[in-house]
Coordinates of all heavy atoms in Angstrom, one line a residue:
L132 N -17.2 20.5 6.0 CA -16.0 21.1 6.5 C -16.1 21.6 8.0 O -17.2 21.8 8.4 CB -15.7 22.4 5.7 CG -15.5 22.1 4.2 CD1 -15.1 23.4 3.5 CD2 -14.4 21.1 3.9
G133 N -15.0 21.6 8.7 CA -15.0 22.1 10.1 C -14.3 21.1 11.0 O -13.2 21.4 11.4
P134 N -14.9 19.9 11.3 CA -14.3 19.0 12.2 C -13.0 18.4 11.7 O -12.1 18.1 12.5 CB -15.3 17.9 12.4 CG -16.6 18.5 12.0 CD -16.3 19.5 10.9
G135 N -12.8 18.2 10.4 CA -11.7 17.6 9.9 C -10.4 18.4 9.9 O -9.3 17.8 10.0
F136 N -10.5 19.7 9.9 CA -9.4 20.6 9.9 C -9.8 22.0 10.2 O -10.8 22.5 9.7 CB -8.7 20.6 8.5 CG -7.3 21.1 8.5 CD1 -6.2 20.2 8.6 CD2 -7.0 22.5 8.4 CE1 -4.9 20.6 8.7 CE2 -5.7 22.9 8.5 CZ -4.6 22.0 8.6
P137 N -9.2 22.6 11.2 CA -9.6 24.0 11.6 C -9.5 25.0 10.5 O -8.6 24.9 9.6 CB -8.6 24.3 12.8 CG -7.5 23.4 12.6 CD -8.0 22.2 12.0
I138 N -10.4 26.0 10.4 CA -10.4 27.0 9.4 C -9.4 28.1 9.8 O -9.7 28.8 10.7 CB -11.8 27.6 9.2 CG1 -12.9 26.4 9.2 CG2 -11.8 28.4 8.0 CD1 -12.7 25.4 8.1
P139 N -8.4 28.3 9.0 CA -7.4 29.4 9.3 C -8.0 30.8 8.8 O -8.6 30.8 7.7 CB -6.2 29.1 8.5 CG -6.4 27.7 7.9 CD -7.9 27.5 7.8
V140 N -7.8 31.8 9.6 CA -8.2 33.1 9.3 C -7.0 34.1 9.5 O -6.5 34.1 10.7 CB -9.4 33.6 10.1 CG1 -9.8 35.0 9.6 CG2 -10.6 32.6 9.9
E141 N -6.5 34.7 8.5 CA -5.4 35.7 8.6 C -6.0 37.0 9.1 O -6.9 37.6 8.4 CB -4.6 35.8 7.3 CG -3.4 36.6 7.5 CD -2.4 36.4 6.3 OE1 -2.5 35.4 5.6 OE2 -1.4 37.2 6.2
I142 N -5.4 37.6 10.2 CA -5.9 38.8 10.7 C -4.8 39.8 11.0 O -3.6 39.4 11.1 CB -6.7 38.5 12.1 CG1 -5.8 38.0 13.1 CG2 -7.9 37.6 11.8 CD1 -6.4 37.8 14.5
T143 N -5.1 41.1 11.1 CA -4.1 42.1 11.4 C -3.7 41.9 12.8 O -4.5 41.6 13.7 CB -4.7 43.5 11.2 OG1 -5.8 43.7 12.0 CG2 -5.1 43.7 9.7
P144 N -2.4 42.2 13.1 CA -1.9 42.2 14.5 C -2.6 43.3 15.3 O -2.9 43.1 16.5 CB -0.4 42.5 14.4 CG -0.1 42.0 13.0 CD -1.3 42.3 12.2
F145 N -3.0 44.4 14.7 CA -3.7 45.5 15.4 C -5.0 45.0 16.0 O -5.9 44.6 15.3 CB -3.9 46.7 14.5 CG -4.6 47.8 15.1 CD1 -4.0 48.7 16.0 CD2 -6.0 48.1 14.8 CE1 -4.7 49.7 16.6 CE2 -6.6 49.1 15.4 CZ -6.0 50.0 16.2
C146 N -5.1 45.1 17.3 CA -6.3 44.8 18.0 C -6.8 43.3 17.7 O -8.0 43.1 17.5 CB -7.4 45.8 17.8 SG -7.1 47.4 18.5
H147 N -5.9 42.4 17.6 CA -6.2 41.1 17.2 C -7.2 40.3 18.1 O -8.0 39.6 17.6 CB -4.9 40.2 17.0 CG -4.2 39.9 18.2 ND1 -3.3 40.8 18.8 CD2 -4.2 38.8 19.0 CE1 -2.8 40.3 19.9 NE2 -3.3 39.1 20.1
E148 N -7.1 40.6 19.4 CA -8.1 40.0 20.3 C -9.5 40.4 20.0 O -10.4 39.6 20.1 CB -7.7 40.3 21.7 CG -6.3 39.6 22.1 CD -5.9 39.9 23.6 OE1 -6.7 40.6 24.3 OE2 -4.9 39.3 24.0
H149 N -9.7 41.7 19.7 CA -11.0 42.2 19.3 C -11.5 41.5 18.1 O -12.7 41.1 18.0 CB -10.9 43.7 19.1 CG -12.0 44.3 18.3 ND1 -13.3 44.5 18.7 CD2 -12.0 44.7 17.0 CE1 -14.0 44.9 17.8 NE2 -13.3 45.1 16.7
T150 N -10.6 41.4 17.1 CA -11.0 40.7 15.8 C -11.4 39.3 16.1 O -12.4 38.8 15.5 CB -9.9 40.8 14.8 OG1 -9.5 42.2 14.6 CG2 -10.3 40.1 13.5
I151 N -10.7 38.6 17.0 CA -11.0 37.2 17.3 C -12.4 37.1 17.9 O -13.2 36.2 17.6 CB -9.9 36.6 18.2 CG1 -8.6 36.4 17.4 CG2 -10.3 35.2 18.7 CD1 -7.4 36.0 18.2
R152 N -12.7 38.0 18.9 CA -14.0 38.0 19.5 C -15.1 38.3 18.5 O -16.2 37.7 18.5 CB -14.0 39.0 20.6 CG -13.3 38.7 21.9 CD -13.6 39.5 23.1 NE -13.3 40.9 22.8 CZ -12.1 41.5 23.2 NH1 -11.2 40.7 23.7 NH2 -11.9 42.8 22.9
T153 N -14.8 39.2 17.5 CA -15.8 39.5 16.5 C -16.1 38.3 15.6 O -17.3 38.0 15.3 CB -15.3 40.7 15.6 OG1 -15.0 41.8 16.5 CG2 -16.4 41.1 14.7
I154 N -15.1 37.5 15.3 CA -15.2 36.3 14.5 C -16.1 35.3 15.3 O -17.0 34.7 14.7 CB -13.8 35.7 14.2 CG1 -13.1 36.6 13.2 CG2 -14.0 34.3 13.6 CD1 -11.6 36.2 13.0
A155 N -15.7 35.1 16.5 CA -16.4 34.1 17.3 C -17.9 34.4 17.5 O -18.7 33.5 17.7 CB -15.7 33.9 18.7
A156 N -18.2 35.7 17.4 CA -19.6 36.1 17.6 C -20.5 36.0 16.4 O -21.7 36.1 16.4 CB -19.7 37.5 18.1
L157 N -19.9 35.7 15.2 CA -20.7 35.5 14.0 C -21.6 34.3 14.1 O -21.2 33.2 14.4 CB -19.7 35.3 12.8 CG -19.0 36.5 12.2 CD1 -18.0 36.0 11.1 CD2 -19.9 37.5 11.7
P158 N -22.9 34.5 13.8 CA -23.8 33.4 13.8 C -23.4 32.2 12.9 O -23.6 31.0 13.2 CB -25.2 34.0 13.3 CG -25.1 35.4 13.7 CD -23.6 35.8 13.5
S159 N -22.8 32.6 11.7 CA -22.3 31.5 10.8 C -21.1 30.8 11.3 O -20.8 29.7 10.7 CB -22.0 32.2 9.4 OG -21.1 33.2 9.5
C160 N -20.5 31.3 12.3 CA -19.3 30.6 12.9 C -19.7 29.9 14.2 O -18.9 29.6 15.1 CB -18.2 31.6 13.2 SG -17.4 32.2 11.7
F161 N -21.0 29.8 14.5 CA -21.5 29.3 15.7 C -20.9 27.9 16.1 O -20.8 27.0 15.2 CB -23.0 29.0 15.7 CG -23.6 28.5 16.9 CD1 -23.8 29.3 18.0 CD2 -23.9 27.1 17.0 CE1 -24.3 28.8 19.2 CE2 -24.4 26.6 18.2 CZ -24.6 27.4 19.3
G162 N -20.4 27.8 17.3 CA -19.8 26.6 17.8 C -18.3 26.5 17.6 O -17.6 25.6 18.0
C163 N -17.7 27.6 16.9 CA -16.2 27.5 16.7 C -15.5 27.9 18.0 O -15.9 28.7 18.8 CB -15.8 28.5 15.6 SG -15.6 30.2 16.0
K164 N -14.3 27.3 18.1 CA -13.4 27.6 19.1 C -12.1 28.3 18.5 O -11.3 27.6 17.8 CB -12.9 26.4 19.9 CG -11.9 26.7 21.0 CD -11.4 25.4 21.6 CE -10.2 25.7 22.5 NZ -9.5 24.5 23.0
P165 N -12.0 29.6 18.6 CA -10.8 30.3 17.9 C -9.6 30.1 18.8 O -9.6 30.3 20.0 CB -11.3 31.8 17.9 CG -12.3 31.9 19.0 CD -12.9 30.6 19.3
V166 N -8.5 29.8 18.1 CA -7.2 29.6 18.7 C -6.1 30.3 17.9 O -5.9 30.1 16.7 CB -6.8 28.1 18.8 CG1 -5.4 27.9 19.4 CG2 -7.8 27.3 19.6
L167 N -5.5 31.3 18.6 CA -4.4 32.1 17.9 C -3.2 31.2 17.7 O -2.8 30.4 18.6 CB -4.0 33.2 18.8 CG -3.0 34.3 18.2 CD1 -3.6 35.0 17.0 CD2 -2.6 35.3 19.3
R168 N -2.7 31.2 16.4 CA -1.6 30.3 16.1 C -0.3 30.8 16.7 O 0.0 32.0 16.7 CB -1.5 30.2 14.5 CG -0.6 29.1 14.1 CD -0.6 29.0 12.6 NE -1.8 28.5 12.0 CZ -2.0 28.0 10.8 NH1 -0.9 28.0 9.9 NH2 -3.2 27.6 10.3
M169 N 0.4 29.9 17.3 CA 1.7 30.2 18.0 C 2.8 29.4 17.4 O 2.7 28.3 16.9 CB 1.5 29.8 19.5 CG 0.3 30.4 20.2 SD 0.4 32.2 20.4 CE 1.8 32.4 21.6
G170 N 4.0 30.1 17.5 CA 5.2 29.4 17.0 C 5.4 29.7 15.5 O 5.3 30.8 15.0
S171 N 5.5 28.6 14.8 CA 5.7 28.7 13.3 C 4.3 29.0 12.7 O 3.3 28.3 13.1 CB 6.3 27.4 12.7 OG 6.2 27.4 11.3
S172 N 4.3 29.8 11.7 CA 3.0 30.0 10.9 C 2.7 28.9 9.9 O 1.6 28.8 9.4 CB 3.0 31.4 10.2 OG 4.0 31.3 9.1
A173 N 3.7 28.0 9.7 CA 3.6 27.0 8.7 C 2.8 25.8 9.1 O 2.7 24.8 8.4 CB 5.0 26.6 8.3
N174 N 2.3 25.8 10.4 CA 1.5 24.7 10.8 C 0.6 25.2 12.0 O 0.9 26.2 12.5 CB 2.3 23.4 11.3 CG 3.2 23.7 12.5 OD1 2.7 23.8 13.6 ND2 4.5 23.8 12.2
N175 N -0.4 24.4 12.3 CA -1.3 24.9 13.4 C -1.0 24.2 14.7 O -1.9 24.1 15.6 CB -2.8 24.7 13.0 CG -3.1 23.3 12.6 OD1 -2.4 22.3 13.0 ND2 -4.2 23.1 11.9
K176 N 0.2 23.6 14.9 CA 0.6 23.1 16.2 C 1.3 24.2 17.0 O 1.9 25.1 16.5 CB 1.6 21.9 15.9 CG 1.2 20.9 14.9 CD 0.0 20.1 15.5 CE -0.4 18.9 14.6 NZ -1.2 19.4 13.4
V177 N 1.1 24.1 18.3 CA 1.8 25.0 19.2 C 3.3 24.6 19.3 O 3.6 23.7 20.0 CB 1.1 25.1 20.6 CG1 1.9 26.1 21.5 CG2 -0.3 25.5 20.4
D178 N 4.1 25.3 18.6 CA 5.5 24.9 18.6 C 6.5 26.1 18.9 O 7.6 26.2 18.5 CB 6.0 24.3 17.2 CG 5.7 25.2 16.0 OD1 5.2 26.3 16.2 OD2 5.9 24.8 14.9
G179 N 5.9 27.0 19.7 CA 6.7 28.2 20.1 C 5.9 29.0 21.1 O 4.7 28.9 21.2
D180 N 6.5 30.0 21.7 CA 5.9 30.8 22.7 C 5.4 32.1 22.1 O 4.7 32.9 22.8 CB 6.8 31.1 23.9 CG 7.2 29.8 24.7 OD1 6.4 28.9 24.7 OD2 8.4 29.8 25.2
D181 N 5.9 32.5 20.9 CA 5.5 33.7 20.3 C 4.4 33.5 19.3 O 4.2 32.4 18.8 CB 6.7 34.3 19.6 CG 7.9 34.7 20.5 OD1 7.6 35.1 21.6 OD2 9.0 34.5 20.1
I182 N 3.6 34.6 19.1 CA 2.5 34.5 18.1 C 3.1 34.3 16.7 O 4.1 34.9 16.3 CB 1.7 35.8 18.2 CG1 1.1 36.0 19.5 CG2 0.6 35.8 17.1 CD1 0.4 37.4 19.7
A183 N 2.5 33.4 16.0 CA 3.0 33.1 14.6 C 2.7 34.3 13.7 O 1.7 34.9 13.8 CB 2.3 31.8 14.1
V184 N 3.7 34.5 12.8 CA 3.6 35.7 11.9 C 3.7 35.1 10.5 O 4.6 34.4 10.2 CB 4.7 36.7 12.2 CG1 4.6 37.9 11.2 CG2 4.6 37.3 13.6
T185 N 2.7 35.5 9.6 CA 2.7 35.1 8.2 C 3.8 35.8 7.4 O 4.4 36.8 7.9 CB 1.4 35.3 7.6 OG1 1.2 36.7 7.4 CG2 0.3 34.7 8.4
D186 N 4.0 35.3 6.2 CA 4.9 36.0 5.2 C 4.5 37.5 5.0 O 5.3 38.3 4.6 CB 4.9 35.3 3.9 CG 5.6 34.0 3.9 OD1 6.3 33.7 4.9 OD2 5.5 33.2 2.9
N187 N 3.2 37.8 5.3 CA 2.7 39.2 5.1 C 2.7 40.0 6.4 O 2.2 41.1 6.4 CB 1.3 39.1 4.6 CG 1.1 38.1 3.5 OD1 1.8 38.1 2.5 ND2 0.3 37.0 3.7
G188 N 3.3 39.4 7.5 CA 3.4 40.1 8.7 C 2.1 40.1 9.6 O 1.9 41.0 10.5
N189 N 1.2 39.2 9.2 CA -0.1 39.1 10.0 C -0.1 37.9 10.9 O 0.8 37.1 10.9 CB -1.2 39.0 9.0 CG -1.4 40.3 8.1 OD1 -1.3 41.4 8.6 ND2 -1.5 40.1 6.8
Y190 N -1.2 37.8 11.7 CA -1.4 36.7 12.6 C -2.5 35.7 11.9 O -3.1 36.1 11.0 CB -2.0 37.2 13.9 CG -1.1 38.0 14.8 CD1 -1.5 38.7 15.9 CD2 0.3 38.1 14.4 CE1 -0.7 39.5 16.6 CE2 1.1 38.9 15.2 CZ 0.6 39.6 16.3 OH 1.5 40.4 17.1
I191 N -2.6 34.5 12.5 CA -3.6 33.6 12.1 C -4.3 33.1 13.3 O -3.7 32.7 14.3 CB -2.9 32.4 11.3 CG1 -2.4 32.8 10.0 CG2 -4.0 31.3 11.1 CD1 -1.7 31.7 9.2
V192 N -5.6 33.1 13.2 CA -6.5 32.4 14.2 C -7.1 31.2 13.5 O -7.6 31.3 12.4 CB -7.5 33.3 14.8 CG1 -8.4 34.0 13.7 CG2 -8.4 32.6 15.8
D193 N -7.0 30.0 14.1 CA -7.6 28.8 13.6 C -8.9 28.5 14.3 O -9.0 28.5 15.6 CB -6.6 27.6 13.9 CG -5.3 27.7 13.0 OD1 -5.5 27.6 11.8 OD2 -4.2 27.9 13.6

Side-chain angles (χ1 to χ4, degrees):
L132 301 182
F136 200 92
I138 315 301
V140 183
E141 188 161 345
I142 62 175
T143 59
F145 177 75
C146 293
H147 66 278
E148 292 180 0
H149 160 73
T150 303
I151 291 170
R152 287 195 296 271
T153 306
I154 290 168
L157 285 174
S159 56
C160 291
F161 179 78
C163 82
K164 178 190 172 190
V166 178
L167 187 64
R168 195 174 289 193
M169 304 294 290
S171 169
S172 66
N174 64 74
N175 56 20
K176 308 291 184 283
V177 178
D178 56 4
D180 297 327
D181 296 324
I182 298 172
V184 178
T185 68
D186 287 349
N187 315 300
N189 296 313
Y190 296 167
I191 292 179
V192 56
D193 292 295

